Protein backbone atom coordinates (compact mmCIF):
# COMPACT_ATOMS: atom_id res chain seq x y z
CA UNK A 1 0.00 0.00 0.00
CA UNK A 2 3.00 2.32 -0.16
CA UNK A 3 1.78 4.06 -3.31
CA UNK A 4 -1.65 4.74 -1.79
CA UNK A 5 -0.22 5.85 1.55
CA UNK A 6 2.08 8.28 -0.24
CA UNK A 7 -0.80 9.52 -2.40
CA UNK A 8 -3.05 9.97 0.63
CA UNK A 9 -0.38 12.00 2.40
CA UNK A 10 0.19 14.22 -0.61
CA UNK A 11 -3.51 14.86 -1.15
CA UNK A 12 -4.12 15.50 2.54
CA UNK A 13 -1.28 18.02 2.52
CA UNK A 14 -2.65 19.67 -0.61
CA UNK A 15 -6.14 20.21 0.80
CA UNK A 16 -5.54 21.88 4.12
CA UNK A 17 -7.51 25.04 3.92
CA UNK A 18 -10.88 26.68 4.54
CA UNK A 19 -13.75 24.85 6.15
CA UNK A 20 -15.85 22.97 3.64
CA UNK A 21 -12.91 21.73 1.60
CA UNK A 22 -13.19 18.24 3.10
CA UNK A 23 -16.65 17.88 1.59
CA UNK A 24 -15.42 19.35 -1.67
CA UNK A 25 -12.53 16.90 -1.74
CA UNK A 26 -14.92 14.00 -1.22
CA UNK A 27 -17.14 15.36 -3.98
CA UNK A 28 -14.26 15.77 -6.42
CA UNK A 29 -12.94 12.31 -5.60
CA UNK A 30 -16.44 11.03 -6.33
CA UNK A 31 -16.39 12.78 -9.70
CA UNK A 32 -13.02 11.24 -10.51
CA UNK A 33 -14.37 7.72 -9.92
CA UNK A 34 -17.91 8.17 -11.29
CA UNK A 35 -18.31 5.59 -14.04
CA UNK A 36 -21.44 7.32 -15.37
CA UNK A 37 -19.52 10.51 -16.15
CA UNK A 38 -16.30 8.76 -17.19
CA UNK A 39 -14.24 9.61 -14.11
CA UNK A 40 -11.05 11.55 -14.70
CA UNK A 41 -11.20 10.82 -18.43
CA UNK A 42 -14.72 12.27 -18.52
CA UNK A 43 -13.55 15.34 -16.61
CA UNK A 44 -10.72 15.80 -19.08
CA UNK A 45 -13.24 15.54 -21.92
CA UNK A 46 -15.40 18.22 -20.26
CA UNK A 47 -12.37 20.52 -20.06
CA UNK A 48 -11.63 19.87 -23.74
CA UNK A 49 -15.24 20.62 -24.72
CA UNK A 50 -14.94 24.01 -23.01
CA UNK A 51 -11.60 24.71 -24.77
CA UNK A 52 -9.82 24.38 -21.41
CA UNK A 53 -7.96 21.14 -22.13
CA UNK A 54 -4.59 22.84 -21.75
CA UNK A 55 -5.46 23.69 -18.14
CA UNK A 56 -6.23 20.15 -16.98
CA UNK A 57 -3.37 18.77 -19.06
CA UNK A 58 -1.01 20.97 -17.04
CA UNK A 59 -2.36 19.42 -13.82
CA UNK A 60 -1.86 15.87 -15.10
CA UNK A 61 1.56 16.69 -16.56
CA UNK A 62 4.76 17.14 -14.59
CA UNK A 63 5.18 20.88 -15.15
CA UNK A 64 3.58 23.82 -13.38
CA UNK A 65 -0.17 23.69 -12.76
CA UNK A 66 -2.12 26.30 -14.72
CA UNK A 67 -4.64 28.37 -12.78
CA UNK A 68 -8.38 28.09 -13.28
CA UNK A 69 -10.97 30.74 -12.41
CA UNK A 70 -14.14 30.03 -10.43
CA UNK A 71 -16.22 30.80 -13.55
CA UNK A 72 -14.19 28.30 -15.59
CA UNK A 73 -14.82 25.67 -12.89
CA UNK A 74 -18.54 26.27 -13.30
CA UNK A 75 -18.28 26.06 -17.10
CA UNK A 76 -16.60 22.64 -16.85
CA UNK A 77 -18.53 21.07 -13.98
CA UNK A 78 -21.87 22.73 -14.60
CA UNK A 79 -24.18 24.60 -12.22
CA UNK A 80 -25.92 21.48 -10.90
CA UNK A 81 -22.68 19.76 -9.88
CA UNK A 82 -21.36 22.93 -8.26
CA UNK A 83 -24.61 23.37 -6.33
CA UNK A 84 -24.53 19.75 -5.14
CA UNK A 85 -20.92 20.04 -4.03
CA UNK A 86 -21.67 23.32 -2.24
CA UNK A 87 -24.64 21.80 -0.41
CA UNK A 88 -22.65 18.72 0.61
CA UNK A 89 -19.84 20.94 1.90
CA UNK A 90 -22.07 23.46 3.64
CA UNK A 91 -20.72 26.43 1.70
CA UNK A 92 -22.26 28.85 -0.79
CA UNK A 93 -22.08 28.19 -4.51
CA UNK A 94 -19.68 31.11 -4.92
CA UNK A 95 -17.44 29.80 -2.12
CA UNK A 96 -17.50 26.31 -3.64
CA UNK A 97 -16.46 27.65 -7.05
CA UNK A 98 -13.63 29.66 -5.50
CA UNK A 99 -12.42 26.76 -3.36
CA UNK A 100 -12.62 24.32 -6.26
CA UNK A 101 -10.52 26.66 -8.40
CA UNK A 102 -7.83 26.39 -5.73
CA UNK A 103 -8.36 22.70 -4.96
CA UNK A 104 -8.64 21.07 -8.39
CA UNK A 105 -5.14 21.79 -9.75
CA UNK A 106 -3.37 20.28 -6.74
CA UNK A 107 -5.75 17.38 -6.33
CA UNK A 108 -5.62 16.31 -9.99
CA UNK A 109 -1.85 16.76 -9.91
CA UNK A 110 -1.55 14.49 -6.87
CA UNK A 111 -3.75 11.69 -8.22
CA UNK A 112 -1.77 11.56 -11.47
CA UNK A 113 1.75 10.75 -10.32
CA UNK A 114 4.53 10.83 -12.86
CA UNK A 115 2.45 13.05 -15.15
CA UNK A 116 0.05 10.37 -16.33
CA UNK A 117 -3.18 8.70 -15.34
CA UNK A 118 -2.41 5.40 -13.55
CA UNK A 119 -3.48 2.38 -15.56
CA UNK A 120 -5.16 -0.85 -14.56
CA UNK A 121 -7.67 0.69 -12.17
CA UNK A 122 -5.01 2.03 -9.81
CA UNK A 123 -6.41 5.55 -10.00
CA UNK A 124 -9.88 4.38 -9.00
CA UNK A 125 -8.55 2.24 -6.16
CA UNK A 126 -6.38 5.06 -4.88
CA UNK A 127 -9.21 7.57 -5.04
CA UNK A 128 -11.60 5.17 -3.31
CA UNK A 129 -9.04 4.76 -0.52
CA UNK A 130 -8.66 8.53 -0.23
CA UNK A 131 -12.43 8.95 -0.19
CA UNK A 132 -12.75 6.50 2.68
CA UNK A 133 -10.06 8.37 4.61
CA UNK A 134 -11.89 11.68 4.23
CA UNK A 135 -15.29 10.25 5.07
CA UNK A 136 -13.90 9.00 8.40
CA UNK A 137 -12.98 12.54 9.49
Amino acid sequence: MGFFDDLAGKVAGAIKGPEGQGGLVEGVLGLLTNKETGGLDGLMQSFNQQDLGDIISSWVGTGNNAAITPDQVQEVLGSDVIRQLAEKSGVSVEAAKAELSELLPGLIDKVTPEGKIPEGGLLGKGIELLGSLFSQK
Side-chain angles (χ1 to χ4, degrees), residues 58-131:
S58 76
W59 305 343
V60 173
T62 58
N64 292 329
N65 292 332
I68 187 168
T69 68
D71 288 338
Q72 289 171 320
V73 169
Q74 185 167 355
E75 287 175 34
V76 171
L77 297 181
S79 298
D80 289 342
V81 171
I82 297 288
R83 184 184 39 75
Q84 291 169 2
L85 291 172
E87 288 174 5
K88 181 177 181 173
S89 303
V91 298
S92 71
V93 168
E94 291 303 313
K97 288 177 4 182
E99 290 176 23
L100 286 166
S101 71
E102 296 293 323
L103 175 67
L104 280 170
L107 188 59
I108 301 294
D109 183 61
K110 299 301 181 206
V111 299
T112 55
E114 300 176 14
K116 59 185 177 185
I117 299 171
E119 294 182 25
L122 285 177
L123 177 63
K125 290 176 186 172
I127 291 173
E128 287 173 19
L129 173 67
L130 291 172

Side-chain angles (χ1 to χ4, degrees), residues 15-28:
I15 60 161
K16 291 182 179 167
E19 185 144 342
Q21 272 197 344
L24 289 174
V25 169
E26 281 185 66
V28 171

